[in-house]
Amino acid sequence: MIFKRLIWLVALVGLGYSDEAIVEPDVAEPDVAEPDVAEPDVAEDESHTDISEPEAPATVPQEPPKIIQGCPNWMAGIPGSPGHNGFPGKPGRDGRDSAKGEKGETGLPGPKGDEGQPGQAGVDGEQGLPGLPGHKGEKGDSGYYYRSAFSVGLTTRNPVPNIPIKFSKIFYNDQKHYNEETGKFTCPYAGVYFFSYHITVYTKDVKVGLYKNNKVIIFTYDQFQNNNVDQAGGSVATHLDEGDEVWLQVYGDNTFNGIYADNNNDSVFTAFLLYPDLH
């Protein structure tokens, strides 16, 4: 029996120690008839050394070994060397999604980005409905705002030569642009004006000129016929600037001032604005 225990002890040291208990199958040992061997007489041979159980080698203290089922009387072996690392296992399955976390605080605004390029023009939309009428505007200038005209006649005969003839008989002078005291017309608006005169000639020849700022525009000459009343006249359209002066006067000496007027004969000077300069 001692021999068998030694064999099992060596086997356990070679196999190594495992956390799990080695469970040996409970196999009944066959009954083997041991041969009848005559045990030596101890008394007879006292010089023979008594055989006792060998002492187990010193080991590091370990946890108490588990008792192998079926062999309660056997001794635990020395722990074996650690085994080799096993192969990595297969990846595990993905875990389940966790619950949605709470909303975090709003972060600070980032810096302003670069200005982008302008996009392409869109397609024209449909025409909208007509808008409502606007408010009534302020009253504008009259279409007859630029008005200037006069028509005057002579009340004396044989006017003084080389000075403006004073036509004191007023037919029309509502704007007062003709001055009957000086005999001159003063231009109120720059533009084109039309001038005309119709005079009666009697007792002398007549030579008159239409003047603009001391320069003659046109001349008219008529020769008197004995004991006959004659007629002379002239007309012109000219451009005037604001402030220009126009008048009619006898040109020369007293030999050419045969302009005549009475209750039956008139000498008339007339002018009016054709159109103003609009800028």
Side-chain angles (χ1 to χ4, degrees):
M1 294 296 293
I2 294 172
F3 182 72
K4 288 183 178 182
R5 290 182 180 181
L6 289 174
I7 295 173
W8 278 107
L9 180 61
V10 174
L12 290 175
V13 172
L15 294 175
Y17 175 76
S18 174
D19 290 340
E20 296 181 357
I22 300 174
V23 180
E24 294 292 335
D26 191 7
V27 179
E29 293 182 1
D31 294 333
V32 179
E34 294 182 2
D36 294 333
V37 178
E39 294 181 0
D41 191 359
V42 175
E44 293 179 359
D45 191 3
E46 293 179 358
S47 62
H48 189 272
T49 303
D50 293 337
I51 300 172
S52 61
E53 293 181 0
E55 295 181 0
T59 59
V60 180
Q62 300 290 335
E63 294 181 0
K66 297 180 180 180
I67 299 174
I68 299 175
Q69 298 296 331
C71 300
N73 296 326
W74 285 33
M75 296 177 62
I78 299 173
S81 301
H84 298 287
N85 293 332
F87 293 103
K90 295 181 179 180
R93 296 180 180 178
D94 294 338
R96 296 181 180 179
D97 294 336
S98 62
K100 184 177 180 179
E102 297 180 357
K103 183 178 180 179
E105 297 181 358
T106 303
L108 298 175
K112 183 178 179 181
D114 297 334
E115 184 177 357
Q117 296 180 354
Q120 297 180 353
V123 180
D124 294 339
E126 297 180 358
Q127 184 176 0
L129 299 175
L132 298 175
H135 298 290
K136 185 177 180 180
E138 297 180 359
K139 184 177 180 180
D141 295 335
S142 171
Y144 299 98
Y145 178 78
Y146 299 98
R147 292 184 293 179
S148 180
F150 72 91
S151 182
V152 292
L154 190 64
T155 57
T156 60
R157 63 185 68 176
N158 305 118
V160 179
N162 300 317
I163 62 172
I165 300 173
K166 298 178 181 179
F167 293 87
S168 57
K169 187 176 182 179
I170 306 301
F171 298 108
Y172 179 85
N173 190 27
D174 289 358
Q175 291 81 37
K176 305 297 182 181
H177 296 157
Y178 173 80
N179 188 341
E180 57 186 285
E181 297 295 330
T182 62
K184 295 181 179 180
F185 166 77
T186 303
C187 175
Y189 316 110
V192 177
Y193 290 79
F194 180 79
F195 292 87
S196 68
Y197 51 89
H198 175 80
I199 57 178
T200 300
V201 179
Y202 188 63
T203 69
K204 294 181 182 180
D205 294 342
V206 171
K207 188 175 184 180
V208 296
L210 184 67
Y211 285 76
K212 169 186 172 183
N213 299 333
N214 292 320
K215 292 183 179 181
V216 178
I217 302 174
I218 58 173
F219 280 114
T220 298
Y221 174 76
D222 185 80
Q223 187 176 11
F224 172 68
Q225 303 293 331
N226 291 332
N227 299 322
N228 290 323
V229 177
D230 202 2
Q231 304 292 327
S235 62
V236 67
T238 184
H239 181 273
L240 299 180
D241 292 325
E242 183 177 352
D244 286 347
E245 293 181 330
V246 180
W247 65 89
L248 193 68
Q249 77 178 32
V250 174
Y251 185 84
D253 53 25
N254 288 331
T255 60
F256 298 101
N257 67 340
I259 301 176
Y260 183 81
D262 59 18
N263 294 332
N264 297 319
N265 297 278
D266 286 304
S267 294
V268 180
F269 181 34
T270 301
F272 53 87
L273 172 66
L274 288 175
Y275 55 87
D277 293 343
L278 299 179
H279 299 288

